[in-house]
Amino acid sequence: MRPTISQLAAWNLAGLLQAAKVANENAVTLYDSLTDSSRAMDAAQEWRGQTRDAAWRRTNEEIEHAHEVRGLLVQFADEAADAHREFETARTYVLAQQSTARTAGCTVGDTGMVTHPDSGNTEAGVFQLNILAGLDEIERIDNSYGEQLRAIQADLAAIREGQQDIMFQGVPRDPDDVITQLAAMTADQRAAALSQLSPSDIRALVIANPDVMGNLNGVPFPIRIAANEINIRNAVQQEKHKPNPDQERINRLEGLLAPIDDPTKTDKVLGKSESDKKPELELVRTAGLSAADDAKLDRKFIMFRADEGTGHMIEMVGEFTSDTKGVGVYVPGTSTDLDGSASNQAAAWNLADQTKGPVFLYMEGDFPQDLGPSGAMNPQYAEDMAPKLVEFGKEVDREVGQRAPGTPVTYVGHSYGGSIVGTAEQQGLRADRILHASSAGTGVEDKAWNNPNPNVQRYSMTAPGDLIGAAQSAPRDTGLPSWLDLPGIPESNPHGGHPQGTDPDKMPGVTRLDTGYYGDYNGDGEQAVVFGPDGHGKYWDDPNSTAFRNIAGVIAGGEVHAYRERGIETDWVDIDLGDDGDLKDEVADLVAAQAAQQLGKKPYADPRVTDNAELGPRILAS
């Protein structure tokens, strides 16, 4: 519906927000009651016999039915709250334009037409364009959310007396039975079967078992996203019901439900603080975007399980648009977990912002949480996650084939994530581009890469003085004595599995890129060079750094800076030309740094570029 301005002014948007609040409160109350019922039945351990079995079956049926009702209430609350947010932004904008136009002496018609007594006045035309654009946005919001809310209401009415059968492969079937059958299929079979279902039947499957539907390969991403929204809300309630709930975990989970800025409609640009003149990032709206559009969107999770290991998830940041030039899959490194993944998600957002395409933050498994023998030195994490990444890659290819055929897919592995990506390539990961960013290695298995794409392009980058550089140079048997005790350099290198070597920077066919400088480098000598232990990952927090822009350039197929070796020194450490890739020299640099630290000094402070300060040559990643 396209309202008139007077109708818009009279809309009771507060009622929409109240409806969302009531639906969510009822969903929470229902969850609490279901949890109490389940606990009561579990506590009845001494009750035996047919009556107990019948009561148990009937109770489970009602609990299952009630969870389906709760899932629909959760969906209604979310859609109604989103509709309110978008409506409020657009309505405020339209009514403000109307008020400003009248103050300027214009007459504003109820349909948005604006005139001025002075025929030569140009303001009237501008106000009219703004108001009409706002009304267009309101009509879009109304049509979109109206359809979704009506569908949820219809689903609620349909399951009032219990779960309804759906048509599956030409036969009426119970949704739970269908999900059991889907789970036993291959991903390709599953995708084909779901493509034959109606939207209402698919919604019934999501409501019947969101945990399964949100985490099965072969299920289209929009369906998995809808299911995982319910799963996250369930995880919030589960945490709240624990004997000792973790409030930080609750806050983190609730944060996953909050809308974020849409990277396709906003940009982060480098500005200057007036107080200290330090560069800082600020968010700006994309040129030409109507102010009636709030430029927000819900977060999208392709996989989510809070109760597995350190918390597993795959988040899709950004959208497929007509401007999409590349799709990225970002695999982070050591210490990654659900509770501490905010910085990884920020990096994925910035990549989506710069590439104008979707970036998938891949956390479908446990990452090592420290640098010790049972942590980052343990190849088992890569062995466990690599096959999952291979299978998820097929899902990305399926989605790209439907949404943006021919768009290149890039896998970026940072630190231990590079070892995961390398191992996945050994196991058959298909990719158009691979980027090892400060990578732990080329794969933990003793075999070559096995990428089905013969034209895959591979890139790498490692900052000078990054501790992982020495680990990359170390062979499987380093020959180093255990008493040396250098961080990240064990007696054996478990990531030295590739028969052609362990250092992605030195691998044949891999193009090495420049890590460069922090900030928007302009050659004035004031930017800090990406260097030392901070150079391992700090550039991920600076979307204007050379290294970060190179990552975005590889994903989008744009210009990047090729590698240029630099000489860098501090008062304690001297990285000379030729040190890179020479294990003896790299170990000597680490020993010097360790000695300085034992004296209470900061060995990597105040670095000075002594050789080759300029950035590497520009090349095209395509």
Side-chain angles (χ1 to χ4, degrees):
M1 170 187 169
R2 184 185 184 86
T4 63
I5 296 178
S6 58
Q7 288 173 332
L8 181 64
W11 275 6
N12 178 22
L13 292 182
L16 185 60
L17 188 60
Q18 180 63 19
K21 179 181 178 182
V22 170
N24 188 63
E25 289 174 346
N26 287 337
V28 170
T29 299
L30 193 53
Y31 184 92
D32 292 347
S33 299
L34 296 174
T35 302
D36 292 342
S37 296
S38 294
R39 287 176 176 170
M41 291 298 295
D42 289 340
Q45 297 295 324
E46 302 304 320
W47 186 16
R48 297 286 187 272
Q50 295 182 4
T51 302
R52 185 267 184 194
D53 293 343
W56 182 257
R57 285 193 299 271
R58 182 58 179 168
T59 299
N60 280 342
E61 288 173 1
E62 291 303 320
I63 287 174
E64 182 179 291
H65 178 216
H67 270 300
E68 292 167 356
V69 173
R70 178 187 173 275
L72 287 168
L73 289 173
V74 163
Q75 286 189 332
F76 181 91
D78 180 68
E79 297 298 336
D82 287 347
H84 175 270
R85 187 193 73 246
E86 294 191 34
F87 269 137
E88 193 62 57
T89 298
R91 183 174 74 161
T92 298
Y93 174 75
V94 169
L95 297 181
Q97 287 292 308
Q98 177 197 45
S99 176
T100 305
R102 286 175 173 173
T103 300
C106 298
T107 299
V108 182
D110 213 21
T111 60
M113 307 305 290
V114 183
T115 59
H116 192 279
D118 181 359
S119 59
N121 183 282
T122 59
E123 286 186 305
V126 174
F127 285 127
Q128 180 171 297
L129 286 174
N130 292 344
I131 291 173
L132 293 178
L135 292 173
D136 287 343
E137 177 65 8
I138 288 167
E139 185 176 25
R140 181 199 67 78
I141 296 168
D142 189 55
N143 290 338
S144 174
Y145 284 104
E147 180 180 354
Q148 294 174 52
L149 291 171
R150 283 192 296 272
I152 295 171
Q153 288 176 312
D155 291 340
L156 275 168
I159 68 168
R160 179 177 176 179
E161 303 301 328
Q163 191 180 58
Q164 302 297 303
D165 286 348
I166 66 172
M167 292 299 296
F168 185 72
Q169 298 178 336
V171 180
R173 297 279 301 281
D174 180 85
D176 290 317
D177 292 341
V178 172
I179 288 173
T180 300
Q181 184 173 340
L182 287 171
M185 294 179 176
T186 67
D188 289 341
Q189 291 171 336
R190 200 174 293 130
L194 289 171
S195 69
Q196 303 300 312
L197 297 186
S198 69
S200 61
D201 286 346
I202 287 176
R203 289 197 304 272
L205 293 175
V206 170
I207 294 304
N209 197 325
D211 182 63
V212 172
M213 293 299 291
N215 296 293
L216 274 180
N217 286 333
V219 177
F221 286 178
I223 300 173
R224 295 174 71 166
I225 290 165
N228 282 319
E229 174 128 12
I230 299 173
N231 291 334
I232 295 172
R233 292 186 184 277
N234 287 344
V236 172
Q237 293 307 117
Q238 288 167 5
E239 186 63 39
K240 287 181 176 180
H241 276 79
K242 290 181 178 179
N244 297 298
D246 183 339
Q247 188 58 49
E248 289 188 6
R249 165 59 70 92
I250 292 170
N251 294 342
R252 176 71 176 131
L253 292 171
E254 289 180 337
L256 300 181
L257 298 166
I260 61 172
D261 295 301
D262 185 343
T264 67
K265 297 178 180 179
T266 51
D267 293 290
K268 281 186 176 177
V269 297
L270 192 67
K272 290 283 187 178
S273 167
E274 290 302 319
S275 60
D276 54 17
K277 301 300 180 184
K278 291 181 181 178
E280 61 180 25
L281 291 165
E282 57 182 291
L283 203 65
V284 299
R285 296 167 66 87
T286 301
L289 182 68
S290 170
D293 187 337
D294 75 345
K296 298 277 188 181
L297 49 72
D298 283 341
R299 299 175 74 161
K300 297 177 173 61
F301 294 90
I302 309 302
M303 182 267 169
F304 181 84
R305 284 207 169 105
D307 57 348
E308 287 190 358
T310 55
H312 301 167
M313 70 178 190
I314 304 171
E315 181 174 5
M316 174 181 168
V317 185
E319 303 281 348
F320 287 95
T321 72
S322 58
D323 296 326
T324 297
K325 296 180 176 63
V327 174
V329 180
Y330 162 37
V331 186
T334 301
S335 78
T336 296
D337 62 15
L338 176 63
D339 293 336
S341 61
S343 61
N344 301 123
Q345 290 168 305
W349 190 98
N350 283 313
L351 284 175
D353 172 51
Q354 291 190 17
T355 63
K356 298 307 177 190
V359 172
F360 295 89
L361 172 58
Y362 185 82
M363 295 170 50
E364 192 181 9
D366 287 338
F367 290 82
Q369 296 300 299
D370 57 57
L371 299 176
S374 62
M377 292 300 107
N378 186 349
Q380 192 60 49
Y381 293 97
E383 289 279 17
D384 291 343
M385 286 187 67
K388 297 177 184 178
L389 182 58
V390 173
E391 292 306 309
F392 179 68
K394 296 174 184 177
E395 297 307 299
V396 173
D397 285 347
R398 191 195 312 276
E399 194 76 10
V400 169
Q402 295 172 354
R403 304 281 295 277
T407 303
V409 180
T410 299
Y411 290 80
V412 182
H414 173 239
S415 191
Y416 196 99
S419 189
I420 294 169
V421 170
T423 307
E425 261 211 291
Q426 291 173 329
Q427 297 182 4
L429 174 68
R430 195 217 70 83
D432 297 290
R433 299 172 190 139
I434 297 285
L435 173 54
H436 286 270
S438 311
S439 175
T442 54
V444 300
E445 298 184 350
D446 191 16
K447 61 184 180 183
W449 287 321
N450 185 33
N451 195 316
N453 179 9
N455 300 314
V456 60
Q457 296 178 340
R458 297 187 178 94
Y459 300 87
S460 71
M461 59 183 184
T462 307
D466 181 351
L467 302 185
I468 210 165
Q472 292 172 342
S473 302
R476 177 62 65 100
D477 180 8
T478 66
L480 296 174
S482 58
W483 56 262
L484 195 55
D485 191 27
L486 292 172
I489 311 296
E491 293 179 75
S492 63
N493 180 10
H495 300 283
H498 202 291
Q500 296 172 274
T502 68
D503 185 352
D505 297 329
K506 306 296 182 182
M507 288 288 290
V510 176
T511 301
R512 187 171 180 180
L513 304 178
D514 200 348
T515 50
Y517 297 83
Y518 297 107
D520 194 5
Y521 181 73
N522 56 22
D524 63 5
E526 293 183 1
Q527 271 89 12
V529 67
V530 178
F531 166 73
D534 282 351
H536 182 66
K538 189 177 178 181
Y539 60 84
W540 281 95
D541 302 325
D542 183 355
N544 286 293
S545 65
T546 309
F548 194 93
R549 289 190 178 279
N550 273 346
I551 298 171
V554 169
I555 294 173
E559 281 194 340
V560 294
H561 284 281
Y563 176 63
R564 175 160 279 139
E565 186 177 12
R566 289 186 184 83
I568 302 174
E569 66 176 24
T570 70
D571 292 342
W572 302 96
V573 177
D574 187 2
I575 308 294
D576 294 320
L577 296 181
D579 284 5
D580 181 73
D582 186 318
L583 182 59
K584 179 180 178 181
D585 287 338
E586 288 173 326
V587 168
D589 294 330
L590 291 178
V591 170
Q594 192 175 63
Q597 287 175 327
Q598 290 173 350
L599 295 173
K601 306 298 182 181
K602 296 180 179 180
Y604 296 96
D606 302 318
R608 301 174 292 278
V609 178
T610 57
D611 301 279
N612 299 333
E614 67 276 11
L615 291 176
R618 288 182 178 274
I619 61 173
L620 184 64
S622 60

